[in-house]
Amino acid sequence: MSHVLTTKQFTKADAERILARAKDMELQCSTGTVDKLLKDKIVACIFFEPSTRTRLSFETAALRLGAQVISAEDAAGNSSAYKGETIKDTARILSCYADAIVMRHYLPGAAEALASAASKPVVNAGDGAHEHPSQGLLDLYTIKKEHGRLENLTVAFVGDLKNSRTLHSLLPLMVQYPGNIFYFVSPKELRVAPEQLADLTAKGVKFIESENLDEVLPKADVLYMTRVQKERFENEADYDKVKDAFLLVKSDLDQMKPDAIIMHPLPRINEVDHAIDTDKRAAYFRQAQNGLYVRMALLLYVFGL
Ligand code: CP
């Protein structure tokens, strides 16, 4: 039994095995010949925070592989957590019914707490501002598919880098590849945490912090836009100060490399103008599609298949 709690649990070889499996899943989906390897399994999806992509792609992944799904889509309001049941008791109960548990929660560390009490594999579908490992892996898959490589890339993360769990999951994967350079573009209130920067320095990773998107646009091979995470702010005034910090508009594309890609974990609010969607560099919908294949691969991984 394997949990998926953080991308830090994966070596480069582990991640590449999952990417290879995802590629196989993509091929099987495209030819309509998906092996029903999970046909006797039940997957529970319990979400304490809203989701479109993660929950529905995990459910689709399970169904495509022949599993059945039980789902609590508003667990904060509609599960017994509302009455005060603990995460650990929830883990014990879900382990009685399902063969694997996919959980999103607003508290950092919630997935680890669930896994510590579950007797079935747990997949972290996002725990507060901490991590979103399936997103990190689907982002890695997308970069590999779009650029054909994972090394010697300039990757610019833009927006709310303090609260972005997608950054927290993708970065530990990307730093395993040589020659990558990272730009962190954010308002000063939303900088990458100092301890994360110290960790990068200790590992010899090359990074540059900036508050100026224009200086980064011509350099980026991957422009990774992020939403300012309103739900992580303590008050509306602080959010209002930074909510529209960086908006990518069509004229910005002129400054970018012709083979750059624009990524966004979505949902977008005011970070990427819709007029950009038709440009071939806009990769965010392809990125979301890749989530299905990577989540199929991850379900197989947790079952040891
Ligand atoms: N990227 C992502 O996690 O999207 P959802 O919140 O819609 O699942």
Side-chain angles (χ1 to χ4, degrees):
M1 179 175 90
S2 302
H3 301 300
V4 176
L5 302 179
T6 161
T7 53
K8 295 190 186 82
Q9 75 187 67
F10 296 120
T11 64
K12 196 165 144 182
D14 293 332
E16 286 180 0
R17 268 192 294 275
I18 291 166
L19 265 44
R21 199 72 192 273
K23 192 172 173 189
D24 183 36
M25 292 299 106
E26 181 170 355
L27 182 68
Q28 288 191 24
C29 284
S30 72
T31 53
T33 55
V34 180
D35 293 333
K36 304 298 182 199
L37 294 173
L38 301 186
K39 85 173 157 40
D40 296 320
K41 305 291 187 194
I42 293 179
V43 175
C45 291
I46 181 162
F47 277 59
F48 292 85
E49 279 191 332
S51 168
T52 297
R53 279 145 291 274
T54 311
R55 186 173 67 82
L56 296 176
S57 62
F58 262 119
E59 293 191 4
T60 306
L63 293 167
R64 286 249 180 254
L65 287 163
Q68 296 180 73
V69 173
I70 55 173
S71 195
E73 67 179 57
D74 177 18
N78 283 332
S79 77
S80 284
Y82 183 76
K83 297 180 245 174
E85 187 160 59
T86 63
I87 288 179
K88 289 191 175 182
D89 279 358
T90 302
R92 292 183 188 103
I93 300 309
L94 291 177
S95 298
C96 299
Y97 307 145
D99 300 297
I101 306 164
V102 178
M103 184 182 76
R104 169 169 289 183
H105 204 284
Y106 47 85
L107 287 178
E112 210 171 304
L114 191 87
S116 72
S119 57
K120 300 292 169 56
V122 167
V123 180
N124 178 6
D127 60 334
H130 177 227
E131 278 228 30
H132 192 351
S134 65
Q135 180 76 43
L137 285 160
L138 80 86
D139 291 342
L140 197 71
Y141 184 78
T142 300
I143 295 169
K144 177 85 187 283
K145 195 169 152 187
E146 298 275 336
H147 273 298
R149 68 184 197 280
L150 289 166
E151 64 281 339
N152 299 318
L153 291 166
T154 297
V155 182
F157 290 98
V158 181
D160 183 353
L161 308 186
K162 176 183 172 193
N163 296 305
S164 172
R165 58 190 174 199
T166 70
L167 161 70
H168 299 157
S169 286
L170 177 56
L171 195 57
L173 295 168
M174 285 302 290
V175 299
Q176 299 194 50
Y177 292 87
N180 290 333
I181 299 171
F182 301 94
Y183 281 86
F184 299 126
V185 184
S186 71
K188 60 181 179 317
E189 297 88 341
L190 300 177
R191 288 177 60 201
V192 177
E195 55 274 21
Q196 280 178 288
L197 297 178
D199 182 53
L200 294 177
T201 303
K203 289 190 170 107
V205 174
K206 193 166 175 198
F207 69 87
I208 299 105
E209 285 194 281
S210 172
E211 290 182 43
N212 182 354
L213 181 57
D214 283 341
E215 75 176 10
V216 170
L217 289 176
K219 297 173 184 144
D221 299 303
V222 176
L223 185 68
Y224 193 106
M225 305 297 292
T226 66
R227 175 176 68 90
V228 177
Q229 307 267 301
K230 184 178 185 183
E231 61 274 34
R232 313 280 175 232
F233 282 73
E234 280 176 14
N235 64 68
E236 191 98 11
D238 286 350
Y239 170 69
D240 285 344
K241 247 196 293 181
V242 290
K243 68 178 181 186
D244 298 324
F246 297 104
L247 170 64
L248 194 71
V249 295
K250 202 150 189 214
S251 56
D252 291 328
L253 297 177
D254 299 339
Q255 296 187 63
M256 293 182 65
K257 294 182 183 179
D259 64 345
I261 57 168
I262 302 159
M263 297 177 67
H264 193 309
L266 304 176
R268 64 177 149 180
I269 304 301
N270 198 25
E271 306 88 38
V272 180
D273 193 285
H274 290 242
I276 287 174
D277 295 356
T278 50
D279 191 281
K280 72 177 175 42
R281 290 167 285 189
Y284 29 90
F285 294 120
R286 299 192 292 274
Q287 181 184 356
Q289 172 78 55
N290 292 336
L292 172 62
Y293 313 127
V294 171
R295 288 174 175 131
M296 290 171 79
L298 281 174
L299 288 177
L300 295 172
Y301 169 84
V302 299
F303 286 116
L305 293 170

